[in-house]
Amino acid sequence: MFLTVEQLEAQLPDATQLLSDEPEMESSLHYLQLLLLVTCLEWLWRERNDYFIGANLTIYYSRQQLRNRDFRGPDFFLVQPTEKRPRKSWVVWEEEGKYPNLIIELLSDSTAGVDRTLKKELYQNQFRTPEYFWFSPDTLEFQGFRLSGQHYQEIMSNDAGWRWSEVLNLYLGIAEGKLRYFTSDGSIVPTPEEAAIQIQQQAQQAQQQAQQATQQAQQAQQRAEQAESRLEQEQMRAERLANQLRALGIEPDLDS
């Protein structure tokens, strides 16, 4: 019995409902690092709706892989352009064949060997992911690679040890033991909490400057009032002296 394409499609399961099949993060240190990567980028791109961030989420890229269950998803990946909406997993054949544009793996004792070899080869050869980074929250080992032709080439770091991501248009670098994003001018991309603190500090500074300006204006007004008072006093004194001269029969020369 032959099936039409429509009949075959009707019998296939809805792959968009495939659940992620990822284990828990290695440690709270890994979890906090992953949370930092997600929240900072989402804050920076809060006005955008053309990307998807996967955090410890399974990527299903072939039905063979789905049967074998032989692949664990990246710790962090970015796909763009795509619709920004919740997903239970990333199913390549349900997403117009799109693979991640950038992947970051967080090394641990149990995954480092695979992340440096098998996964790197998979992302290079199968996914063709333009940029791949790994970082160890424990040892601070940090590497970055960019696809050049058929192979990954190491992304060289600048003097600060940061590596430029063409996908993000940002630097990735280590600050206080954490992998962070930096803008091209060297500013760190804040978390929402850090941004709130910065805004509060800026508001306080603006308020202090306004208060200082008010005080300076008040002081200037006081000085002006004092000067005006002295002028009035001098005018009154001059008038008294003129009256005294007139009493003596002398007309004062007020114009001299």
Side-chain angles (χ1 to χ4, degrees):
M1 177 181 178
F2 292 99
L3 297 176
T4 65
V5 173
E6 291 77 12
Q7 291 172 328
L8 179 61
E9 181 68 23
Q11 293 182 16
L12 293 175
D14 183 2
T16 62
Q17 300 305 308
L18 285 171
L19 298 176
S20 181
D21 188 27
E22 299 304 304
E24 294 295 325
M25 299 298 293
E26 186 80 6
S27 68
S28 59
L29 196 62
H30 288 73
Y31 173 78
L32 291 174
Q33 174 62 74
L34 181 59
L35 184 63
L36 192 62
L37 290 171
V38 174
T39 55
C40 288
L41 194 58
E42 287 192 336
W43 167 255
L44 181 66
W45 289 355
R46 57 192 178 278
E47 303 297 332
R48 292 177 50 177
N49 292 294
D50 61 346
Y51 69 93
F52 176 75
I53 294 175
N56 200 34
L57 199 72
T58 300
I59 295 177
Y60 294 107
Y61 59 92
S62 73
R63 297 187 184 278
Q64 180 66 37
Q65 170 241 346
L66 179 60
R67 286 193 295 270
N68 296 342
R69 300 282 177 165
D70 57 356
F71 170 71
R72 296 298 184 187
D75 293 315
F76 175 98
F77 67 89
L78 169 72
V79 182
Q80 60 178 10
T82 190
E83 182 184 0
K84 185 181 179 183
R85 59 178 174 80
R87 291 170 171 85
K88 297 179 179 180
S89 60
W90 185 264
V91 185
V92 171
W93 61 88
E94 296 286 357
E95 300 283 355
E96 301 178 353
K98 292 181 179 179
Y99 285 89
N101 301 83
L102 175 141
I103 290 174
I104 301 174
E105 293 285 7
L106 302 179
L107 303 183
S108 65
D109 292 340
S110 62
T111 66
V114 173
D115 291 338
R116 295 191 192 102
T117 56
L118 297 179
K119 280 195 170 181
K120 182 183 175 186
E121 292 175 3
L122 178 70
Y123 301 155
Q124 171 185 273
N125 301 328
Q126 173 73 32
F127 284 23
R128 305 296 294 162
T129 294
E131 292 180 346
Y132 173 43
F133 297 85
W134 69 58
F135 172 71
S136 170
D138 297 309
T139 67
L140 307 188
E141 177 185 340
F142 175 45
Q143 285 279 16
F145 304 89
R146 183 174 296 117
L147 202 60
S148 178
Q150 299 300 311
H151 302 284
Y152 277 135
Q153 299 295 328
E154 182 178 356
I155 300 173
M156 303 308 295
S157 61
N158 63 10
D159 293 340
W162 305 346
R163 290 177 165 83
W164 180 254
S165 168
E166 294 179 353
V167 173
L168 298 173
N169 199 33
L170 296 168
Y171 283 107
L172 280 163
I174 301 171
E176 298 182 354
K178 301 290 190 298
L179 188 63
R180 300 293 300 263
Y181 306 108
F182 299 87
T183 61
S184 58
D185 64 4
S187 301
I188 195 167
V189 176
T191 65
E193 293 79 9
E194 291 170 342
I197 293 173
Q198 290 176 1
I199 293 172
Q200 184 178 12
Q201 290 174 341
Q202 291 170 356
Q204 290 173 345
Q205 290 174 354
Q207 185 177 10
Q208 291 173 354
Q209 291 172 352
Q211 290 174 346
Q212 291 174 354
T214 300
Q215 291 174 353
Q216 291 172 353
Q218 290 173 344
Q219 292 171 355
Q221 184 177 2
Q222 289 174 354
R223 289 193 296 269
E225 290 174 351
Q226 291 171 354
E228 184 178 359
S229 177
R230 287 196 297 270
L231 177 60
E232 290 176 354
Q233 292 173 0
E234 290 298 324
Q235 289 174 340
M236 291 173 63
R237 179 172 175 270
E239 185 63 28
R240 285 196 302 270
L241 291 173
N243 289 334
Q244 291 174 1
L245 289 173
R246 290 189 185 98
L248 296 173
I250 301 172
E251 185 62 31
D253 184 4
L254 299 179
D255 296 329
S256 60

